[in-house]
Amino acid sequence: MQCLMADGALITLDSDDILVAEHTLAVGREFPDVETCRRTLKDLAIALHFDLRIVKSDRSRFIAKCSKEGCPWRIHAAKCPGVSTFSVRTLNGEHTCEGVRDLHHQQASVGWVARSVEARIRDNPQYKPKEILQDIRDEHGVAVSYMQAWRGKERSMAALHGTYEEGYRFLPLYCEQVKLVNPGSFASVSVSGPENCFQRLFIAYRACISGFFSARRPLLELDRAHLKGKYLGAILCAAAVDADEGLFPLAIAVVDNESDENWSWFLSELRKLLGMNTEILPRLTILSERQSGVVEAVETHFPNAFHGFCLRYVSDNFRDTFKNTKLVNIFWNAVYALTAAEFEAKINEMAEISQDVLQWFELFPPHLWAVAYFQGVRYGHFGLGITEVLYNWALECHELPIIQMMEHIRLQISSWFDARRDMSMRWNSILVPSAERRITEAVSDARCYQVLRANEVEFEIVSTERTNIVDIRTRVCSCRRWQIYGLPCAHAAAALISCGQNVHMFAEACFTVVSYQQTYSQMIGEVPDRSLWKEEGEEVVGGGGSLRIRPPKTRRPPGRPKKKVVRVENLKRPKRIVQCGRCHLLGHSQKKCTQPI
């Protein structure tokens, strides 16, 4: 059987296509209602490339014919008595016209586009309108406009996930469901103004709270990402770091905008969350970009915490300020210097190249980021690993309503917990793999040291470079690496091996596999489908009555939003630039120097 395509090409339908077409329409064929009948005929008209004209469509009958004059194709369906079902009464299925000759089709409406792409959007919310119109043209031979594709996607997203406005309206009940399936969790929403516009959402799962304290690592990252959805806003996050450098959010907030007030509120909620465990929580170390609002909030709610700079932020500022590769390399050497003397030596080396470095250090005091001066315990964790996670969430969820966005985040956190729990059950070592590798390196380096025992706990470690003092009782080495990283350094390993001790047993408790397994021991409960929630979805818990939450007043401006993704690679130390020892030029070594002597 031959059929005319939308671009004018004549193609032959195979037997499967014919069977599908014949099975779709036949006298006696029944449809659940008139709307299903109408949609089926529209789909058939598009598939066989003819134009459909509806003659009559009401509660009791549906009549349609081919729009081309003289073509006998016609169908009549009527309502069955006592039920909503429609059945085909008469059908003339023969076409004598040449069909639709161009790519545009009257039946390819926004509703049809929405139905066509619904399955793909369910699997991929990032399905773009450009991809939609191209796929529809390839699969159906029909051209739709960009606006049709965009509106079709919007309609399909609303059918799958609900509207943005419904998301805000059901937030109070969503918080109740989170607390119901995850007892001990924190979940609250607040509004602002007489119109009850959304202002803040705070969620902290019990599994994450328990994991933070089980990890025995009082280290938090603070960061945010701006949302690009219909109503904008921002995600604020406090993330914990496990012993194997894995991240998980301790608390997440969605706010109408990033402001000093919202940061202060977020830190106050975080303080309430941690307040019940102050007796077992040592002094906290917090890393951030130290924006003015964050600094003030930390000083107010965590006055005893050590608040340090994210090293990526500091290094990027230094690099952009001086634009000198040699200076940047010396700067990184200064960052990782373990003692004040080593650090000052690097500062003097930089000052010889540029005196402006000294003024820059006044803006970024070393005690807020340098290893030699920072008093908090970072365990070698200097950057904000949560940054890329937040930006990815903002990118992946910017077209989802707020509840679906939080569900996407919850599912990802839950998958992290499940994967890390399963992985840790297969470990047979005392320490986590990353700590095991460092201990192995320390033991290997310890072989070249001479050990002199001063007394039962103190040792003198002699090398060709210097002599270091190790106290295995207080777990202190004069090189400071043991205290800073929480793992025995090579000097400590030499001392411990000399007196028959197991080096692994002198690592901080947070690095043990047992502690890691406890971190991810709890599971995050799954929130049931919204159809199973109570009907009182508009009641704000603790709000003193029924209250309808409306979206925030901020709206996304017209135009394509800018995308900014921070990569993990940006957090790493830049490649070292080689300097020739003979001509002192950069980019080659002395062995490869071609300059004349």
Side-chain angles (χ1 to χ4, degrees), residues 221-493:
E221 296 182 7
L222 292 181
D223 205 359
R224 82 284 184 238
H226 295 284
L227 299 172
K228 304 297 183 182
K230 183 177 180 180
Y231 292 101
L232 301 179
I235 304 178
L236 310 183
C237 183
V241 186
D242 67 34
D244 210 37
E245 295 301 305
L247 295 166
F248 62 90
L250 173 61
I252 303 169
V254 179
V255 293
D256 53 357
N257 63 80
E258 185 191 6
S259 63
D260 294 354
E261 181 185 357
N262 279 335
W263 269 117
S264 181
W265 162 81
F266 180 64
L267 269 295
S268 69
E269 294 296 305
L270 188 63
R271 184 70 181 86
K272 295 175 187 175
L273 185 153
L274 300 177
M276 64 185 70
N277 295 284
T278 50
E279 67 279 358
I280 64 171
L281 183 68
R283 296 180 69 186
L284 193 63
T285 296
I286 296 175
L287 299 181
S288 75
E289 293 183 358
R290 287 186 63 90
Q291 309 96 308
S292 59
V294 177
V295 172
E296 293 173 5
V298 170
E299 290 177 350
T300 301
H301 301 288
F302 295 94
N304 296 324
F306 297 104
H307 188 190
F309 268 116
C310 162
L311 201 51
R312 175 190 58 82
Y313 177 76
V314 176
S315 62
D316 285 353
N317 188 284
F318 186 90
R319 182 194 61 210
D320 296 340
T321 301
F322 296 102
K323 297 179 174 63
N324 184 310
T325 305
K326 186 176 180 181
L327 269 179
V328 171
N329 279 297
I330 301 173
F331 169 81
W332 279 102
N333 290 330
V335 167
Y336 291 112
L338 296 175
T339 63
E342 293 174 2
F343 182 85
E344 295 301 328
K346 296 301 178 183
I347 298 300
N348 294 334
E349 193 175 340
M350 285 189 282
E352 291 176 1
I353 300 174
S354 174
Q355 286 292 321
D356 294 337
V357 170
L358 301 178
Q359 296 179 357
W360 184 90
F361 278 102
E362 294 178 1
L363 298 175
F364 294 89
H367 72 273
L368 296 177
W369 50 268
V371 172
Y373 289 108
F374 187 71
Q375 295 181 355
V377 180
R378 294 178 290 186
Y379 304 100
H381 189 86
F382 304 115
L384 294 179
I386 197 63
T387 299
E388 188 179 21
V389 174
L390 290 178
Y391 274 99
N392 285 340
W393 283 345
L395 192 62
E396 295 164 358
C397 304
H398 78 278
E399 297 186 29
L400 295 177
I402 188 169
I403 289 179
Q404 277 65 39
M405 178 180 71
M406 297 308 299
E407 278 296 280
H408 175 88
I409 293 172
R410 182 191 63 79
L411 286 171
Q412 190 163 78
I413 298 173
S414 181
S415 68
W416 290 346
F417 268 63
D418 293 342
R420 292 169 187 174
R421 185 188 310 112
D422 295 341
M423 177 180 62
S424 67
M425 297 305 293
R426 297 191 296 269
W427 293 343
N428 299 317
S429 56
I430 298 174
L431 306 179
V432 298
S434 59
E436 284 284 343
R437 288 191 295 270
R438 294 182 191 175
I439 292 291
T440 302
E441 292 172 2
V443 171
S444 177
D445 294 340
R447 295 170 184 167
C448 61
Y449 296 143
Q450 179 185 2
V451 180
L452 302 176
R453 187 165 190 168
N455 54 48
E456 194 173 313
V457 296
E458 290 185 347
F459 297 81
E460 188 175 347
I461 311 300
V462 182
S463 68
T464 56
E465 298 176 352
R466 70 187 68 168
T467 298
N468 289 279
I469 306 300
V470 173
D471 187 327
I472 63 172
R473 180 171 57 191
T474 58
R475 303 190 178 189
V476 169
C477 178
S478 58
C479 77
R480 299 188 67 241
R481 185 177 293 275
W482 196 357
Q483 302 91 290
I484 291 171
Y485 291 91
L487 293 168
C489 59
H491 311 116

Side-chain angles (χ1 to χ4, degrees), residues 20-21 23-26 29-48 50 52 62 73 75 88 107 112 115:
V20 170
H23 177 72
T24 302
L25 284 183
R29 169 74 190 276
E30 293 186 349
F31 303 95
D33 49 47
V34 68
E35 182 62 29
T36 305
C37 178
R38 186 185 297 113
R39 288 180 179 178
T40 302
L41 288 172
K42 284 185 176 182
D43 291 342
L44 185 66
I46 292 172
L48 299 182
F50 71 90
L52 187 72
F62 179 86
W73 190 95
I75 186 172
V88 178
Q107 307 304 327
W112 177 80
R115 294 194 303 274

Side-chain angles (χ1 to χ4, degrees), residues 493-513:
L496 291 166
I497 292 171
S498 70
C499 60
Q501 296 288 341
N502 187 342
V503 180
H504 296 76
M505 303 306 293
F506 285 79
E508 290 284 344
C510 65
F511 291 104
T512 62
V513 171

Side-chain angles (χ1 to χ4, degrees), residues 533-554:
W533 300 357
K534 296 178 182 178
E535 294 297 327
E536 302 85 54
E538 298 173 11
E539 183 176 330
V540 175
V541 179
S546 182
L547 196 63
R548 187 185 184 90
I549 296 183
R550 292 178 170 83
K553 292 184 178 180
T554 52

